[in-house]
Amino acid sequence: MFNIFRKSLVDILPQVRGKYQKNVSLSKHTWFGVGGPAEIMYHPADAEDLCRFIKEKPYNLPVCLIGGGSNLLVRDGGIPGVVIKLDSPYFKRWSPGEGEITCGAGMRNADLKKIMLENALGGLEFLCSIPGHLGGSIKTNAGCFGKEIKDVLVKATIVDGTGNIREVPAKDLTLSYRSSLFPDDWVITSLTLRTEPKDPSETLKLINEQKNYRMKAQPHNEKTAGSTFKNPEGLKAWELIKKAGCADLRVNGAKVSEKHCNFLINTGNATAHDLETLGETIVQRVKDDTSITLEWEIKRMGIHK
């Protein structure tokens, strides 16, 4: 619990056109289905509303951003300060360009499917099978099936730490394997992606093939957050995990997926602590077995209970 004796945080926040919510359970905003509350969740009305919030907020206020929650583990103590979520219609808009489209950061990756099919576009099929929202895809340089966001990103529009809107070319983000040089106080509001003309039947065929592969090779309809650890250069994380004898590990309600051992599963009653403990146990066992330290791909945030 946060300190209930101090003045309510929402009383000292800027007046905005968006919405503030107090004590929001973040377990409802993550695919793992675990985690404590956000002290305040802020839903900006649009980019200008977000700019005002950033410019007028208390200078030492803890602020973080969450997207679709597909690659996120929020700890059981929750997140103090303000959690920003770009889920208003403004951040889900899209507009066409010459050989490109511009999409709001709050759009789900899966929503690209309808856009591509209705406009005879291709080149973004791989993104359709990646869980989460487009904004989060940039920060982690999301990718699969031989393509990454850096292969199709033209530019991103962001609100920086001083509350100003800027356009940043893809080359300035230094995107690399599952990472980017992206300042923590930047908020992506939209991104422009390169497309190509393509027959909708070909696009649909490729999307379905990639979806079917994922369903066969990875867990679905389960509480998971995707790949837990990054692949070390030239190696596969799942092979290291299996070799270290971790394929059957379990901590209370958290377990390693039987289908793919680089996925952790909340079987229904796991806590964030259970999942993080399971992950750290895997890291230690792989290090003991191979001298390789696995790096978390899932982002962990918040405080321990």
Side-chain angles (χ1 to χ4, degrees):
M1 294 292 293
F2 301 112
N3 188 350
I4 60 174
F5 298 105
R6 72 180 185 188
K7 186 175 182 179
S8 175
L9 174 57
V10 76
D11 294 333
I12 61 173
L13 294 178
Q15 293 293 313
V16 294
R17 289 178 289 109
K19 180 172 64 174
Y20 293 127
Q21 291 180 292
K22 299 180 182 179
N23 203 36
V24 176
S25 173
L26 291 172
S27 65
K28 298 177 181 178
H29 292 267
T30 66
W31 285 41
F32 265 141
V34 300
E39 187 172 10
I40 298 292
M41 182 173 278
Y42 166 46
H43 308 265
D46 51 35
E48 293 296 336
D49 192 47
L50 176 61
C51 289
R52 177 176 182 176
F53 169 81
I54 292 175
K55 287 178 178 178
E56 298 181 8
K57 69 176 179 62
Y59 77 95
N60 60 346
L61 175 71
V63 173
C64 70
L65 176 74
I66 65 169
S70 62
N71 197 41
L72 179 64
L73 177 60
V74 175
R75 295 185 174 109
D76 299 307
I79 301 179
V82 175
V83 174
I84 299 172
K85 190 168 176 91
L86 306 181
D87 56 1
S88 75
Y90 175 91
F91 296 106
K92 299 176 182 178
R93 303 181 306 168
W94 76 277
S95 59
E98 189 64 37
E100 60 189 37
I101 60 172
T102 297
C103 303
M107 178 186 289
R108 296 187 311 152
N109 291 337
D111 291 338
L112 287 171
K113 175 181 176 179
K114 182 178 180 181
I115 294 172
M116 287 193 291
L117 294 178
E118 292 182 350
N119 295 274
L121 299 175
L124 307 178
E125 293 88 349
F126 75 101
L127 278 170
C128 294
S129 69
I130 298 175
H133 294 177
L134 283 172
S137 300
I138 295 182
K139 200 159 187 182
T140 59
N141 187 30
C144 58
F145 302 111
K147 293 187 75 173
E148 299 172 311
I149 195 77
K150 71 180 180 65
D151 300 322
V152 296
L153 181 66
V154 178
K155 63 183 178 182
T157 301
I158 64 101
V159 175
D160 65 21
T162 60
N164 293 308
I165 297 175
R166 296 170 52 186
E167 283 193 351
V168 184
K171 62 180 178 63
D172 292 348
L173 295 174
T174 318
L175 301 175
S176 58
Y177 174 65
R178 300 299 177 265
S179 65
S180 63
L181 293 181
F182 201 96
D184 287 337
D185 62 354
W186 283 9
V187 177
I188 302 166
T189 57
S190 69
L191 51 161
T192 300
L193 303 170
R194 194 175 298 107
T195 61
E196 58 191 39
K198 195 167 186 178
D199 186 284
S201 63
E202 294 180 19
T203 298
L204 182 60
K205 180 182 178 183
L206 182 54
I207 289 174
N208 287 338
E209 286 174 352
Q210 293 177 346
K211 178 182 178 181
N212 290 337
Y213 173 84
R214 279 190 179 274
M215 290 184 70
K216 289 179 181 178
Q218 300 173 358
H220 61 279
N221 294 330
E222 296 192 85
K223 294 181 178 180
T224 185
S227 296
T228 307
F229 303 105
K230 299 178 183 179
N231 290 324
E233 187 172 357
L235 300 169
K236 298 291 186 183
W238 74 266
E239 291 179 343
L240 297 173
I241 293 168
K242 187 173 183 179
K243 181 176 179 293
C246 299
D248 299 322
L249 284 184
R250 184 176 189 130
V251 175
N252 298 321
K255 73 170 188 175
V256 174
S257 168
E258 297 170 4
K259 186 175 279 191
H260 193 308
C261 59
N262 195 23
F263 286 66
L264 304 185
I265 305 293
N266 172 9
T267 62
N269 63 346
T271 63
H273 184 263
D274 293 336
L275 289 157
E276 189 165 15
T277 299
L278 178 57
E280 287 299 313
T281 300
I282 291 170
V283 171
Q284 188 59 53
R285 289 203 183 182
V286 170
K287 185 176 182 179
D288 292 342
D289 185 62
T290 65
S291 298
I292 295 170
T293 302
L294 291 176
E295 183 180 349
W296 283 77
E297 184 171 331
I298 291 173
K299 183 174 182 180
R300 296 168 291 167
M301 63 170 59
I303 58 178
H304 294 289
K305 194 169 184 178

